[in-house]
Amino acid sequence: MTLSPEAEAARRRTFAIISHPDAGKTTLTENLLLAGGAIRLAGAVRARGERRRTTSDWMKIERDRGISVSASVMTFEHDDRVFNLLDTPGHEDFSEDTYRTLTAADSAVMVLDAAKGIEPQTLKLFEVCRLRDIPIITFINKMDREAQDPFALLDEIEQKLALTAAPLYWPQGSGDRFRGMRDLRNGEFVGYRRVVAADGGVSFETGRVGGNVEAEIMDDAERAELAEHAEMASGVCAPFDRRSFREGHLTPVVFGTALRHFGVRELLAVIGEEAPSPRDQKAWVKGEETTVGADRDEVTGFIFKIQANMDPNHRDRIAFLRLVSGRFQRGMRLKTAAGKQVNIHAPVMFLAQDREIAEEAYGGDVIGVPNHGALRVGDALSESGTLQFQGIPNFAPEILRRARVKDPMKAKHLRKALEGLAEEGVTQLFTPTLGSDMIVGAVGQLQIEVMAERVATENNLEVVFEPAPYNVARWIGCDDREKLEAFLEKNRGATGTDLDGAPVYLAKNAWDVGYVSEKNPDIRFTKTKER
Ligand code: G4P
């Protein structure tokens, strides 16, 4: 049966997982793929130790499992729904990649370590989600270890995130005394049992169980405690409310242990049943502000990420296109708002086991568009070419460095290399109005490291990164063209342009920005640049 593009979009769930490092994002990703039937190798042995420096969960999984998953999205079909799981970089450093990926997500799963609760990185990522009103489902992981009291954990979510926490399940015990959880909506018990075989091997049984088995798993005292706490939770915690969740005010909470594959099916069910299908996106069409939803006939989408060299044999670039509407078919021609035409002969879809050519895709899906640098992050693609989506920002860098190549004859090479990396969004590149400096900017230190390594290995250039004469960059704008030009003229020593030629103010410190903006009330100094 062929569904309409709108109905196809309605069965899609495009989501990302956010967490502080070590809370279990990779393990959960893997187990969600298992629960969704996307991969089958349960319990493969993982390489220890050397996983730390990888920048992507997929890379880790790929290495650990020996399957090809070097992609930024994994798609799997389960229970008549299509799940698109977006990868967000898993390192401690905060990068723009993460922000951008979240622009393509309709919901997010926030993984907390049950012993640690909300950690700094969780908080940062949560704030990005809140900025974009992305609904969040909370998964409290590692219940197989000693955990904090569940009431305290929920209270912490409410206090630190100003988000109502609505437990869908209530756990019994933790660590060695973890027994499972009660579904607060229908009273069913999802049991967790450690089984020791005759040969001493330990395994874990999990699943919904009836009264008899429940009594085998928990003793009378535990059953009484669970009954009491579940009742208390139902009384004092907010009930789940779909609307409030989708508006970003409430988070449903599921407990589990990703490592033991407990709670993962329940989490997947919550994503399928409660998380929103592709949301409407704000856009400009012929200068008019409008919203584009899955009910629009035209194929539309936006580029949220560009990745180079996914295939080491080809210097190709893959632009990740998040579709918003329409029925995309292979071979289609789409246009950017600037009128650039892109023929998509060989779109790539990222199915769990392999890359495959996408024949069709719908709102919510992500397809890879191979290109040689024609596409940029933030570009909209549509059949009509009349459309530009809002809200895919560049972020002001927190680190600025002056790049210099040891052999001055190679300065042009370096500029080209840095421009390429800036097009991909690895780092930003600023050109001061005066002089010939190349100033690179990054949100996190790791971005600088990735850039330095890529310039060295891909371009064979010996580059030095020195402290820059500036520490802060802000985009500048003004409704009055003449005023802006006068400002730029007067501040030639402290201004420049970004890769797209947009004017930036380069300052020594934040105080300097404050001072100058006070003196020039008509000029806007912004930390983000939206296209
Ligand atoms: P991350 O991507 O969020 O950084 O976390 P990751 O999944 O890599 O998990 C971090 C560590 O926590 C791993 O242990 C992983 O096995 C463990 N872990 C994840 N989920 C659970 C869980 O539910 N229960 C328990 N007990 N541990 C869990 P590691 O020793 O660092 O790595 P490994 O050698 O075991 O792979």
Side-chain angles (χ1 to χ4, degrees):
M1 190 181 67
T2 318
L3 294 175
S4 69
E6 199 180 346
E8 281 288 357
R11 66 186 194 105
R12 276 154 169 82
R13 300 288 180 271
T14 303
F15 69 104
I17 304 180
I18 59 170
S19 73
H20 189 84
D22 270 355
K25 181 151 73 81
T26 312
T27 312
L28 181 63
T29 299
E30 224 169 337
N31 280 277
L32 277 170
L33 295 175
L34 277 168
I39 52 174
R40 279 174 224 293
L41 301 154
V45 183
R46 303 225 247 140
R48 285 186 173 265
E50 41 105 31
R51 302 186 303 125
R52 287 288 163 247
R53 287 302 295 175
T54 52
T55 54
S56 145
D57 289 345
W58 303 147
M59 281 165 59
K60 286 195 227 170
I61 296 172
E62 181 168 41
R63 208 158 56 194
D64 295 347
R65 289 188 172 280
I67 56 171
S68 166
V69 286
S70 357
S72 288
V73 58
M74 297 277 274
T75 300
F76 58 94
E77 207 166 337
H78 176 71
D79 264 358
D80 224 17
R81 292 204 175 85
V82 177
F83 294 84
N84 294 309
L85 171 47
L86 301 169
D87 181 28
T88 50
H91 48 73
E92 290 201 39
D93 236 316
F94 212 43
S95 84
E96 287 189 79
D97 244 17
T98 312
Y99 283 110
R100 294 211 192 98
T101 297
L102 289 172
T103 65
D106 297 309
S107 59
V109 172
M110 173 170 76
V111 186
L112 303 182
D113 181 324
K116 296 183 176 155
I118 309 267
E119 297 176 84
Q121 185 90 334
T122 336
L123 195 60
K124 271 193 182 177
L125 287 160
F126 168 78
E127 280 163 3
V128 180
C129 290
R130 166 152 287 171
L131 207 65
R132 315 198 66 85
D133 297 323
I134 296 174
I136 293 186
I137 299 165
T138 302
F139 184 75
I140 298 187
N141 190 31
K142 305 199 187 181
M143 290 302 292
D144 61 320
R145 288 198 186 156
E146 283 310 310
Q148 286 183 41
D149 174 60
F151 285 107
L153 284 163
L154 299 187
D155 194 47
E156 192 184 9
I157 294 172
E158 303 216 330
Q159 298 303 324
K160 288 203 177 150
L161 308 183
L163 190 64
T164 304
L168 301 181
Y169 293 86
W170 199 260
Q172 177 53 38
S174 69
D176 289 343
R177 296 180 50 82
F178 182 53
R179 301 289 181 245
M181 59 191 182
R182 173 91 59 216
D183 188 330
L184 294 179
R185 294 159 300 178
N186 57 19
E188 281 177 10
F189 183 68
V190 190
Y192 174 86
R193 177 158 53 174
R194 191 165 180 270
V195 184
V196 183
D199 66 358
V202 175
S203 62
F204 295 86
E205 278 179 8
T206 66
R208 288 189 185 245
V209 294
N212 290 344
V213 186
E214 195 182 311
E216 284 171 24
I217 293 175
M218 290 184 286
D219 62 28
D220 288 348
E222 287 167 331
R223 291 186 84 179
E225 186 178 70
L226 178 57
E228 187 194 330
H229 287 176
E231 193 184 319
M232 215 160 106
S234 298
V236 300
C237 301
F240 176 71
D241 176 83
R242 181 181 288 171
R243 188 161 149 202
S244 184
F245 159 59
R246 292 199 176 169
E247 286 174 354
H249 305 308
L250 174 149
T251 181
V253 181
V254 177
F255 295 82
T257 148
L259 190 66
R260 308 285 177 224
H261 202 68
F262 176 89
V264 180
R265 269 168 299 197
E266 285 68 23
L267 174 66
L268 191 59
V270 174
I271 302 168
E273 285 156 23
E274 305 298 348
S277 54
R279 49 177 164 165
D280 293 354
Q281 304 279 342
K282 283 202 183 119
W284 299 94
V285 177
K286 294 186 184 148
E288 299 261 322
E289 200 166 357
T290 183
T291 53
V292 175
D295 57 348
R296 191 182 178 91
D297 290 335
E298 179 188 20
V299 172
T300 68
F302 58 87
I303 306 288
F304 66 95
K305 176 174 173 154
I306 297 205
Q307 203 166 313
N309 302 325
M310 286 181 58
D311 177 349
N313 297 320
H314 295 100
R315 292 224 140 197
D316 63 346
R317 274 171 197 221
I318 302 267
F320 291 91
L321 174 67
R322 156 71 206 248
L323 290 168
V324 176
S325 63
R327 185 192 308 276
F328 170 85
Q329 285 170 307
R330 178 154 108 91
M332 259 186 161
R333 276 182 195 170
L334 299 178
K335 285 185 229 144
T336 68
K340 253 185 251 169
Q341 185 162 308
V342 188
N343 297 346
I344 312 181
H345 299 301
V348 183
M349 236 183 151
F350 302 91
L351 301 173
Q353 303 280 16
D354 229 326
R355 281 210 214 176
E356 268 184 24
I357 298 289
E359 293 297 339
E360 279 186 352
Y362 300 91
D365 286 339
V366 173
I367 56 176
V369 182
N371 74 105
H372 299 292
L375 294 171
R376 294 281 180 84
V377 168
D379 274 349
L381 287 176
S382 62
E383 288 176 85
S384 64
T386 55
L387 186 137
Q388 179 62 48
F389 288 103
Q390 302 177 9
I392 299 146
N394 284 106
F395 293 89
E398 286 172 15
I399 303 171
L400 292 174
R401 293 277 179 274
R402 178 179 18 215
R404 197 167 54 75
V405 70
K406 282 198 176 146
D407 175 358
M409 300 295 287
K410 297 220 166 121
K412 261 200 185 147
H413 280 91
L414 176 61
R415 180 170 291 278
K416 226 171 151 42
L418 294 176
E419 279 173 4
L421 291 173
E423 276 168 17
E424 267 181 59
V426 174
T427 39
Q428 298 180 38
L429 178 64
F430 300 101
T431 307
T433 311
L434 302 178
S436 55
D437 277 352
M438 289 170 252
I439 306 291
V440 291
V443 178
Q445 179 60 31
L446 193 84
Q447 274 176 274
I448 298 272
E449 284 169 31
V450 169
M451 172 197 57
E453 194 177 311
R454 287 192 48 188
V455 171
T457 55
E458 290 166 24
N459 302 279
N460 203 11
L461 292 169
E462 254 188 282
V463 189
V464 193
F465 294 99
E466 303 168 331
Y470 331 96
N471 293 304
V472 177
R474 292 282 181 273
W475 281 280
I476 41 187
C478 181
D479 297 327
D480 184 333
R481 185 86 222 154
E482 275 177 27
K483 275 192 183 150
L484 180 64
E485 271 164 22
F487 175 82
L488 290 172
E489 186 55 35
K490 208 169 123 212
N491 292 279
R492 284 164 66 86
T495 54
T497 48
D498 71 3
L499 183 72
D500 300 316
V504 284
Y505 183 71
L506 297 162
K508 286 223 162 31
N509 48 45
W511 183 84
D512 183 14
V513 178
Y515 180 79
V516 175
S517 62
E518 221 166 82
K519 291 263 169 219
N520 298 275
D522 296 329
I523 309 278
R524 288 186 301 273
F525 295 80
T526 54
K527 275 183 156 183
T528 54
K529 182 180 83 159
E530 285 203 4
R531 304 225 268 153

